[in-house]
Amino acid sequence: MNLLEILDNLSSVDGVSGNENNAGMTALSLLKKYCPDAYIDKMGNVIGNIYSNDKKAPHILLDAHLDQVGFIVTSITEEGFIKVGNVGGLDMRLMPAQNVIIHGKKAINGVIASIPPHLSGDEQKVLDITDLLIDTGYSKSELSEIISLGNRVTFDTPFMKLANECIAAHSLDDRCGIASIIYALELISDNEIPYNLTVLFSSQEEVGECGAETAVYNINPDIAIAVDVSFALSHNDDPIKCGKINAGPMIGISPTLSKEISDSLIDTAKSNNIPWQTEIMNGTTGTNADRFSVSRGGVKSCTLSIPLRYMHTPSEIISVTDVQNTGKLLAEWIRRSVSC
Amino acid sequence: MLNKYLEELCLLCAASGNEKAVREYICENIKHYADSIKIDPLGSVIAEKKGRKQSPKKLMISAHMDEVGLIITYINDDGTMQIAPVGGIDASVVIGRPVVVGDNNINGVIGAKPVHLLNSNQRKELPKFSELYLDIGAKNKKQAEELISLGTYVHFLPSFNIIGDIKVCSKALDDRIGCAIMLELIKEEIPYDVTFAFLVQEEVGLRGAKAAAFSVNPDIAIVLEATTAADISGANGDAKVCSLGNGPVVSFMDRSTIYDRELYNLAFAECKRMDIPCQTKTRIAGGNDSGAIHMSRGGVRTIAVSAPCRYLHSPSSVADLNDIQNCLKLTKAMIEKAVEI
């Protein structure tokens, strides 16, 4: 299995929250190899099942979210510039002169307008989202043929290989989580597993975990793991708030997570010599696990996070080794029989 | 051919002082057309081209090869690197960008602390260059040192997109537009002898132009440039400065030069005669190699012909291909008329 190629494919398709179809189709085709009955539900969630011979075996949900942050078209000005709203949390400091793709009837290139230093003088400030203008080179009438209000806009940055097994791309949050689950499925594909397993690639995480909320209701699992990304330490960051890149998956520990599942993940990592680190939180986790844990009568939940630098920017960095180790940990954990 | 030259030139990386890639491309593409090619001590390319007639006055046409970029100033213990701008760049067009590092094109990213970890004041504060750093994925200082050294140049990731019907979006349009026009001109039969100067180090203070203007010692100079347009929604009247699609920009004055009035009038008259649009800048802003050339030795009569360009000095500047074509037409006409004034 070529994990790098899977990461490239997954992070090169668009899937801004609420419009995950392209990313969903790519994730679905990867998942079908292991779950031939996999499908996309009415919320845009990609769902597949692997059944155990024992119908009474515990039901486990593995989740990573499909959607990415981006923009949504709100209007077109008389001069032919596109105005947008944000979908998910974006850093407005880095917007000027960003290359973007507008996903209309066809995908077109655009650039976020900026005033260059020659003209801006001392009046520079961080723009509000409502001040952003996207230049596409088209007039208003030409644009109206291609773009409708509500179309999504993504950053246009390429997939890049860096030193030390690192890669950079704009939607690694959370496509790398999807890749790690696919990798885990590959590792267990020859094994009989002691669980009934459902894989969920969920929609609309970035706008409030909406896809996870409805999917977990339908799936009704006993145990759920949200594989997402978390902050990796970079220059001048606070080491208390961050994990480390290339140091393995971050196992979540929090009052809202199941101590039992956290401990079993740690035990699995230890006994299989898989590098791991903890991510200690003091309440909700900001991931789909917040939805899983309180679904129906309650679900034992945990987070497994891939350390990522520069979250929600056009150039997020992760390590392929961390993705691999996350997949390994999931695979070994699934092979174990955990009572619940 | 003009557009092909432009694309190939824009995809090259050549921050000020590091113009080698563009210089080599230019030398390769003019060697069959120029009568002589010299590279001066600073690295500028000076090419002579004979015309049908010997010119009564010496004419120099110039464009600059360099672009804005970054340079590595320090390697941190954690393997990230401190950077400084080469030329005028806002930190806001650098933060969060993919970049290429050094001659071996190592990939990197200018890191941005996640918005989740910024407080509300930090979110509204423009980043400062001293707070930015380069991340190539190196695990520590030692590994970073194996891959790069201090003083290594960092460039915006090359990309060249046609946007809309007739516009181009790329880094380095300032001033590969001028270089592309000169490559096109030098291929053609020209009425008078011309010295074509492809200059270095414009973005760090017009330094290549100062030395080359001395060596060439012209009577008249035409500077080909990309100049800043602010014709976006919300900018009205003079705040647009100049507009894409309205033809070559010929200024009467900017922050570096008061231009020769007779050449200024001639440029507009030639555009009128050829029925191509022409505009001037409505604010006194920016500057170019004219600032060094017009004061060279005892003075040089100088005019600049510029393509209007949005988002200058960013990874994604935008220009109109018709404007660039019209800059070529105007410059060609000026070769004949300028030396006769």
Side-chain angles (χ1 to χ4, degrees):
Chain A
M1 164 172 272
N2 187 339
L3 195 51
L4 197 65
E5 194 181 303
I6 288 175
L7 284 161
D8 190 353
N9 289 344
L10 280 169
S11 62
S12 302
V13 280
D14 69 290
V16 177
S17 310
N19 191 23
E20 295 92 350
N21 196 44
N22 288 339
M25 293 306 284
T26 302
L28 180 68
S29 66
L30 288 166
L31 184 58
K32 279 208 159 172
K33 184 177 170 201
Y34 311 99
C35 311
D37 68 345
Y39 63 98
I40 298 182
D41 81 359
K42 61 187 168 189
M43 286 289 281
N45 292 303
V46 176
I47 298 170
N49 297 296
I50 298 173
Y51 299 104
S52 153
N53 288 337
D54 177 7
K55 287 278 176 293
K56 296 232 166 66
H59 187 179
I60 288 190
L61 171 62
L62 291 188
D63 160 79
H65 70 85
L66 198 53
D67 60 316
Q68 69 192 91
V69 295
F71 311 87
I72 188 164
V73 176
T74 53
S75 67
I76 301 173
T77 70
E78 287 308 311
E79 296 88 352
F81 289 81
I82 293 173
K83 301 196 81 166
V84 290
N86 61 305
V87 179
L90 296 174
D91 185 348
M92 298 307 296
R93 302 172 307 155
L94 50 73
M95 290 304 169
Q98 283 287 357
N99 280 350
V100 293
I101 297 174
I102 305 101
H103 301 272
K105 277 184 195 154
K106 58 179 182 178
I108 58 171
N109 293 103
V111 54
I112 298 176
S114 72
I115 299 295
H118 318 69
L119 296 174
S120 51
D122 296 331
E123 50 195 87
Q124 289 177 280
K125 60 179 176 67
V126 174
L127 295 172
D128 285 333
I129 185 75
T130 50
D131 297 330
L132 288 195
L133 295 166
I134 297 176
D135 185 350
T136 63
Y138 286 112
S139 66
K140 182 176 189 180
S141 62
E142 289 170 314
L143 260 185
S144 303
E145 297 290 311
I146 307 167
I147 302 300
S148 324
L149 305 191
N151 283 160
R152 302 300 200 275
V153 180
T154 54
F155 290 123
D156 179 18
T157 41
F159 181 87
M160 297 195 314
K161 285 167 75 174
L162 307 185
N164 230 11
E165 301 297 314
C166 291
I167 54 172
H170 65 266
S171 57
L172 291 170
D173 172 7
D174 183 30
R175 304 290 158 73
C176 69
I178 294 179
S180 73
I181 291 176
I182 295 290
Y183 187 68
L185 296 181
E186 175 71 22
L187 294 177
I188 60 168
S189 56
D190 293 332
N191 298 80
E192 172 64 25
I193 54 168
Y195 297 116
N196 289 302
L197 182 66
T198 298
V199 173
L200 167 65
F201 299 142
S202 48
S203 62
Q204 299 187 34
E205 190 270 352
E206 299 290 1
V207 291
E209 302 110 24
C210 304
E213 172 85 26
T214 59
V216 70
Y217 173 86
N218 285 330
I219 295 164
N220 193 14
D222 301 305
I223 298 172
I225 299 206
V227 183
D228 207 328
V229 298
S230 189
F231 309 112
L233 187 72
S234 189
H235 191 60
N236 288 342
D237 282 344
D238 181 354
I240 295 165
K241 291 180 182 160
C242 301
K244 280 187 184 145
I245 242 168
N246 267 327
M250 300 160 74
I251 297 168
I253 296 177
S254 159
T256 66
L257 299 176
S258 161
K259 175 89 167 45
E260 189 188 332
I261 306 299
S262 302
D263 286 346
S264 71
L265 284 164
I266 291 170
D267 282 348
T268 308
K270 279 183 181 164
S271 54
N272 291 281
N273 286 321
I274 299 166
W276 61 283
Q277 47 194 326
T278 52
E279 180 182 18
I280 315 295
M281 295 158 280
N282 58 354
T284 49
T285 64
T287 72
N288 284 339
D290 296 346
R291 301 287 171 168
F292 299 154
S293 50
V294 292
S295 177
R296 296 195 186 220
V299 176
K300 289 178 181 174
S301 302
C302 195
T303 57
L304 199 55
S305 300
I306 297 167
L308 175 142
R309 289 189 194 137
Y310 323 128
M311 199 182 293
H312 290 196
T313 76
S315 310
E316 298 177 332
I317 291 180
I318 59 153
S319 146
V320 181
T321 311
D322 285 332
V323 178
Q324 211 161 14
N325 282 325
T326 305
K328 264 188 209 163
L329 177 56
L330 286 170
E332 293 302 338
W333 181 76
I334 290 165
R335 285 192 183 121
R336 289 164 49 120
S337 187
V338 180
S339 63
C340 64
Chain B
M1 219 27 217
L2 180 62
N3 295 350
K4 180 171 170 281
Y5 281 142
L6 184 62
E7 176 166 4
E8 289 175 357
L9 281 164
C10 282
L11 292 175
L12 299 173
C13 290
S16 310
N18 187 40
E19 296 89 352
K20 182 163 178 273
V22 170
R23 178 167 51 244
E24 285 174 356
Y25 177 89
I26 284 167
C27 288
E28 184 58 31
N29 280 279
I30 64 175
K31 66 182 182 193
H32 299 301
Y33 306 111
D35 293 293
S36 75
I37 301 172
K38 269 195 303 212
I39 295 171
D40 83 3
L42 298 188
S44 296
V45 178
I46 296 169
E48 306 281 350
K49 166 89 173 176
K50 294 251 182 294
R52 286 192 298 273
K53 289 175 280 185
Q54 200 182 359
S55 176
K57 291 177 183 134
K58 184 150 191 179
L59 173 64
M60 179 175 86
I61 301 179
S62 77
H64 67 89
M65 298 189 286
D66 60 315
E67 67 190 281
V68 295
L70 309 163
I71 195 163
I72 296 173
T73 55
Y74 186 76
I75 303 176
N76 298 311
D77 289 340
D78 58 16
T80 60
M81 286 151 254
Q82 299 303 122
I83 44 169
V86 175
I89 312 184
D90 280 340
S92 62
V93 305
V94 176
I95 184 171
R97 307 293 150 143
V99 291
V100 284
V101 184
D103 296 339
N104 298 326
N105 293 327
I106 294 170
N107 288 321
V109 162
I110 308 299
K113 191 191 273 285
V115 66
H116 319 66
L117 300 180
L118 299 174
N119 64 36
S120 58
N121 287 336
Q122 289 172 318
R123 288 181 193 198
K124 292 191 188 115
E125 231 169 70
L126 281 172
K128 294 181 191 69
F129 252 100
S130 56
E131 297 160 0
L132 301 185
Y133 56 90
L134 167 66
D135 186 341
I136 60 168
K139 62 183 167 196
N140 52 34
K141 186 169 188 158
K142 186 168 169 291
Q143 192 182 39
E145 280 171 340
E146 286 163 14
L147 293 165
I148 64 104
S149 54
L150 298 188
T152 298
Y153 285 94
V154 180
H155 297 94
F156 293 132
L157 196 68
S159 74
F160 189 92
N161 292 321
I162 299 297
I163 65 167
D165 296 326
I166 194 70
K167 295 192 180 76
V168 57
C169 177
S170 177
K171 74 168 183 73
L173 287 171
D174 172 12
D175 182 27
R176 305 294 152 72
I177 288 175
C179 294
I181 291 171
M182 297 220 306
L183 289 181
E184 203 56 38
L185 280 174
I186 206 167
K187 285 198 305 194
E188 302 192 7
E189 195 184 75
I190 47 178
Y192 290 110
D193 298 352
V194 174
T195 304
F196 291 96
F198 299 88
L199 304 173
V200 296
Q201 296 182 34
E202 193 265 358
E203 302 292 1
V204 290
L206 325 179
R207 309 190 66 78
K210 183 165 194 301
F214 177 91
S215 303
V216 174
N217 193 13
D219 299 300
I220 292 171
I222 302 173
V223 174
L224 303 181
E225 257 290 7
T227 195
T228 184
D231 56 331
I232 60 176
S233 285
N236 295 312
D238 67 315
K240 291 182 178 177
V241 187
C242 57
S243 297
L244 266 61
N246 287 0
V249 182
V250 181
S251 333
F252 44 85
M253 175 181 171
D254 59 30
R255 290 285 165 217
S256 70
T257 312
I258 296 172
Y259 292 92
D260 184 275
R261 195 69 187 182
E262 220 174 327
L263 288 171
Y264 174 84
N265 289 336
L266 177 67
F268 278 88
E270 284 300 299
C271 283
K272 195 172 176 195
R273 180 181 66 76
M274 294 185 291
D275 199 24
I276 58 175
C278 190
Q279 58 186 323
T280 193
K281 286 209 288 207
T282 52
R283 287 206 175 162
I284 311 300
N288 58 51
D289 278 333
S290 303
I293 294 168
H294 84 290
M295 289 190 292
S296 179
R297 296 192 187 226
V300 178
R301 298 181 73 171
T302 303
I303 194 74
V305 173
S306 303
C309 192
R310 294 177 187 149
Y311 330 129
L312 221 57
H313 290 201
S314 86
S316 313
S317 41
V318 172
D320 183 305
L321 292 170
N322 281 338
D323 289 332
I324 300 171
Q325 196 70 45
N326 285 328
C327 285
L328 170 64
K329 279 187 195 160
L330 172 58
T331 310
K332 209 188 296 185
M334 293 287 282
I335 293 177
E336 178 137 25
K337 297 290 169 60
V339 296
E340 292 169 0
I341 63 170

